[in-house]
Amino acid sequence: MSHAAARTEIPTALDAERGEVACRLALRHAGARDVRIAWELNGPADAPLLIVAGGISANRHTLASAAFPETGWWDEQRGFGIDPTRFRVLSIDWVGADGSIDAPIDSADQADAVAAVLDALQLPQAVAWIGSSYGAMSGLQFAQRHPQRLRGLVVISGAHRAHPFASAWRALQRRIAALGLESGDENAGLSLARQLAMLSYRTPEEFAARFTEGTTVDGDVVRVAAEDYLDACGARFIGRMPPVAYRRLSESIDLHHADPAQVKVPTTVVAIAEDRLVPLPDMLDLSAKLPHSELHVLRSHYGHDAFLKETSAIARVLRAAIETST
Amino acid sequence: MSHAAARTEIPTALDAERGEVACRLALRHAGARDVRIAWELNGPADAPLLIVAGGISANRHTLASAAFPETGWWDEQRGFGIDPTRFRVLSIDWVGADGSIDAPIDSADQADAVAAVLDALQLPQAVAWIGSSYGAMSGLQFAQRHPQRLRGLVVISGAHRAHPFASAWRALQRRIAALGLESGDENAGLSLARQLAMLSYRTPEEFAARFTEGTTVDGDVVRVAAEDYLDACGARFIGRMPPVAYRRLSESIDLHHADPAQVKVPTTVVAIAEDRLVPLPDMLDLSAKLPHSELHVLRSHYGHDAFLKETSAIARVLRAAIETST
């Protein structure tokens, strides 16, 4: 069976389930809160468990299934790097993604939320936490706080800290969203913030290959070649997240601080040389400070978004890491 | 005399003058217009002429003088790279900087405006055009359109085209300014646009050295370490330029397109390896396509702003280039 065939084939038996865990979490900044943590499990009940987590706009629906056939946020990896016929995949909606918490949220809170779901579902241990971007940050927290729950960790394009330049970039995105709210045009603000974020997710190299120069339209407006693309990115983002969730999860990246020396779980670090949001030096630093790490540096003109775009290269790393931990 | 002493010493005799040239310019996109071009000349009347031009927010007041003692936008170079006791320095306010033109403005229009000023002041030829950023772009246009007016050209951090990624970055700045205008808070929009621009002028390396991580303030607001700095940059920008001037000059960068093969004047190209707005590959491409060019690649963690910050390194290049052309 080719990979392409594997990726598009969805088992016909009921293969996935969803639920919510109601519990009281001691949030690091926001204090003790009653929260409901939405989860999804995809794969055979007796298969070894993988915890999979993506960026702040990802959710519990990682892979399509017979039960939930909509495209998952990481569907490109279905049957490639993540095989839901051999593993059971657990993902959650981020704490705060429903807009119910208007207070600082920490990546450690996300780790504790996943631990609470494991408790509730009586799943003692996972083969690995596979995290990209914010999911990698939360994975470092999970490995640090709940080491007995995990045999391995894969962190892709997420480090032990937010880089100060990336933090400034996100702070401006939050201010743009706030300006939209103040002006009564919430969607315009969120769309613009997302467009700015796209510039940090992608690279000049990709834009140079894709877009040409600016021109005048009707002799008056100047329009640069990337604007149609950015407009589409902004439009797709609207309605995906309440503004308060966007703000608090974006902030959460900037509050993130893990101590790599305390991560005892064997960790596969995947860095993208061209990533402008999580620069290579921070990923090298992370790898050097982890007691047990294996470093992969990939090249991609998709930069930070490589985990969503470089399907084959990411799949190879995932398969090897999962085999090692299984 | 040390350089530091030279830099702060202002001659006491009346050494500079200002004026305006009223003329009709055939603007490339906006058609024929009656414009007033504000100029400043600084230095002995019989000294060889230098034309000096900076970024879109620079103006005719390049260096402080006895006549106009306020700090000029490139005062760091006074007595270092540019000596107004040996040379006469001409600069203009950009066409459109007063907000009088609400139509696309081309870098070629700026070149023609300078030529009109040279005509009016009966200054047939300059030793060199020294241009940084947008001033470099306009200098390429000037050398292409008015080659007999110039013996040499120095282009610092400005190429024959705007890079598509940088254009996207600027397009978002213009949209942010527009969102501010729509929301009735013009200053908030302009400030935010400027803050976003600062991220393109500087580098992650500088931010990593200068700023630490984000923290919560009063247990609620998350504030990243660079925000005070960015706030100050935004606040300083307010009132410096009418919104229409900001929009049209920003657009002008994205409309810029020069043909290096048509620049016959010997050109010194100064590239900053870390420049994120005018990437090194574009500067290398420019240098390769110019018939007569000498390339200097400098390193600076100030990125695009190096021309304002790396006083000694820039001065060395300027002095050598000016001597060659004199």
Side-chain angles (χ1 to χ4, degrees):
Chain A
M1 189 196 303
S2 77
H3 278 140
R7 188 168 51 167
T8 50
E9 177 187 294
I10 296 175
T12 47
L14 195 64
D15 51 353
E17 52 185 318
R18 284 177 176 173
E20 285 190 352
V21 170
C23 62
R24 195 165 178 81
L25 274 187
L27 303 180
R28 183 174 277 187
H29 305 281
R33 299 260 181 151
D34 291 316
V35 296
R36 301 182 70 83
I37 307 158
W39 54 267
E40 183 172 315
L41 270 170
N42 179 355
D46 57 349
L49 185 70
L50 295 176
I51 301 165
V52 178
I56 59 168
S57 55
N59 55 33
R60 64 178 169 174
H61 189 52
T62 299
L63 305 175
S65 56
F68 308 108
E70 324 82 81
T71 304
W73 65 265
W74 221 8
D75 237 37
E76 287 79 5
Q77 289 298 337
R78 182 160 44 83
F80 272 100
I82 301 170
D83 186 348
T85 65
R86 288 186 54 218
F87 293 92
R88 198 176 192 199
V89 176
L90 172 68
S91 300
I92 67 164
D93 286 351
W94 294 121
V95 172
D98 59 359
S100 63
I101 299 178
D102 191 10
I105 300 169
D106 202 278
S107 51
D109 301 336
Q110 308 295 354
D112 292 352
V114 172
V117 171
L118 293 179
D119 283 341
L121 299 178
Q122 295 180 290
L123 298 165
Q125 195 185 51
V127 170
W129 175 303
I130 299 170
S132 304
S133 193
Y134 185 60
M137 293 173 155
S138 300
L140 288 166
Q141 295 283 10
F142 187 87
Q144 191 175 329
R145 298 166 75 85
H146 308 282
Q148 73 289 354
R149 302 287 209 172
L150 219 52
R151 287 212 295 278
L153 172 64
V154 181
V155 294
I156 306 171
S157 301
H160 48 302
R161 67 158 188 174
H163 191 280
F165 188 81
S167 291
W169 210 325
R170 272 184 298 268
L172 293 186
Q173 292 161 34
R174 296 193 290 270
R175 286 176 176 213
I176 292 165
L179 183 63
L181 277 172
E182 284 158 26
S183 78
D185 194 347
E186 173 185 313
N187 286 347
L190 271 182
S191 166
L192 255 181
R194 177 64 169 189
Q195 293 178 54
L196 178 51
M198 288 311 298
L199 294 189
S200 67
Y201 298 155
R202 299 302 180 91
T203 69
E205 292 76 14
E206 184 203 3
F207 274 54
R210 243 176 117 163
F211 303 115
T212 56
E213 65 248 53
T215 50
T216 56
V217 178
D218 301 330
D220 180 25
V221 182
V222 171
R223 201 162 169 86
V224 312
E227 278 181 88
D228 287 344
Y229 167 73
L230 291 172
D231 275 340
C233 292
R236 270 200 306 273
F237 191 67
I238 289 169
R240 272 174 59 184
M241 212 187 261
V244 65
Y246 173 75
R247 174 186 163 195
R248 294 306 188 174
L249 288 173
S250 168
E251 284 179 351
S252 181
I253 302 173
D254 296 321
L255 287 177
H256 170 70
H257 189 79
D259 180 0
Q262 298 305 314
V263 175
K264 314 291 191 194
V265 175
T267 302
T268 301
V269 175
V270 184
I272 312 298
E274 290 80 2
D275 192 333
R276 292 163 76 86
L277 201 60
V278 184
L280 183 59
D282 275 14
M283 294 299 284
L284 299 180
D285 190 35
L286 166 64
S287 182
K289 287 176 173 161
L290 286 166
H292 313 284
S293 82
E294 180 179 303
L295 173 68
H296 297 256
V297 179
L298 307 181
R299 304 293 310 261
S300 171
H301 83 170
Y302 291 112
H304 187 72
D305 268 0
F307 71 95
L308 297 170
K309 306 287 283 183
E310 301 290 356
T311 304
S312 301
I314 296 290
R316 272 193 298 275
V317 177
L318 291 184
R319 284 198 300 268
I322 292 167
E323 288 311 320
T324 304
S325 295
T326 306
Chain B
M1 188 196 302
S2 77
H3 278 142
R7 187 169 50 167
T8 51
E9 178 188 295
I10 297 175
T12 49
L14 195 64
D15 51 353
E17 53 185 316
R18 284 178 176 173
E20 286 190 352
V21 170
C23 62
R24 195 165 179 81
L25 274 187
L27 303 181
R28 183 173 278 187
H29 304 282
R33 299 262 181 151
D34 291 317
V35 296
R36 300 182 71 82
I37 307 158
W39 54 267
E40 183 172 315
L41 270 170
N42 179 355
D46 58 350
L49 185 70
L50 294 176
I51 301 165
V52 178
I56 59 168
S57 54
N59 55 32
R60 63 178 170 175
H61 189 51
T62 300
L63 305 176
S65 56
F68 309 107
E70 325 82 81
T71 304
W73 66 264
W74 221 8
D75 237 37
E76 288 78 7
Q77 288 298 338
R78 183 158 45 80
F80 272 102
I82 301 170
D83 186 348
T85 66
R86 290 186 55 219
F87 292 92
R88 199 176 193 200
V89 176
L90 172 67
S91 299
I92 67 164
D93 287 351
W94 294 122
V95 172
D98 58 0
S100 63
I101 298 177
D102 190 11
I105 299 169
D106 202 279
S107 51
D109 301 336
Q110 308 295 354
D112 292 351
V114 171
V117 171
L118 293 179
D119 283 342
L121 299 178
Q122 295 181 290
L123 297 166
Q125 196 185 50
V127 171
W129 175 303
I130 299 170
S132 304
S133 192
Y134 185 60
M137 292 173 155
S138 301
L140 288 166
Q141 295 282 11
F142 187 87
Q144 189 175 331
R145 298 166 75 84
H146 309 282
Q148 74 289 355
R149 301 287 209 170
L150 219 52
R151 287 213 294 279
L153 172 64
V154 181
V155 295
I156 307 171
S157 302
H160 48 302
R161 69 158 188 174
H163 190 280
F165 188 81
S167 291
W169 210 324
R170 272 184 298 269
L172 294 187
Q173 291 161 35
R174 295 193 291 272
R175 287 176 176 212
I176 293 166
L179 182 63
L181 277 172
E182 285 159 25
S183 79
D185 195 345
E186 172 184 314
N187 286 347
L190 272 181
S191 166
L192 253 182
R194 178 64 168 188
Q195 293 178 55
L196 178 52
M198 289 310 299
L199 294 190
S200 67
Y201 299 155
R202 299 303 180 90
T203 69
E205 292 76 13
E206 185 203 2
F207 274 54
R210 243 176 118 164
F211 303 114
T212 54
E213 65 247 55
T215 50
T216 56
V217 178
D218 301 329
D220 180 25
V221 182
V222 171
R223 202 162 169 85
V224 312
E227 277 181 88
D228 287 345
Y229 166 73
L230 290 172
D231 276 339
C233 293
R236 270 200 306 273
F237 191 67
I238 290 169
R240 274 174 59 183
M241 210 186 262
V244 65
Y246 173 76
R247 174 186 162 195
R248 294 305 187 174
L249 288 173
S250 168
E251 284 179 350
S252 182
I253 303 173
D254 296 322
L255 286 178
H256 170 69
H257 189 79
D259 180 0
Q262 299 305 316
V263 176
K264 314 290 192 194
V265 176
T267 302
T268 301
V269 175
V270 185
I272 312 298
E274 290 80 3
D275 192 332
R276 291 163 77 85
L277 200 60
V278 184
L280 183 59
D282 275 14
M283 294 300 283
L284 300 180
D285 190 35
L286 166 65
S287 180
K289 287 176 174 162
L290 285 166
H292 311 285
S293 83
E294 180 179 302
L295 173 68
H296 297 255
V297 179
L298 308 180
R299 303 294 309 262
S300 171
H301 82 170
Y302 291 111
H304 187 71
D305 268 0
F307 72 95
L308 296 170
K309 306 288 281 183
E310 301 289 356
T311 304
S312 303
I314 296 291
R316 272 194 298 276
V317 177
L318 291 184
R319 284 197 302 267
I322 292 167
E323 288 311 319
T324 304
S325 296
T326 305

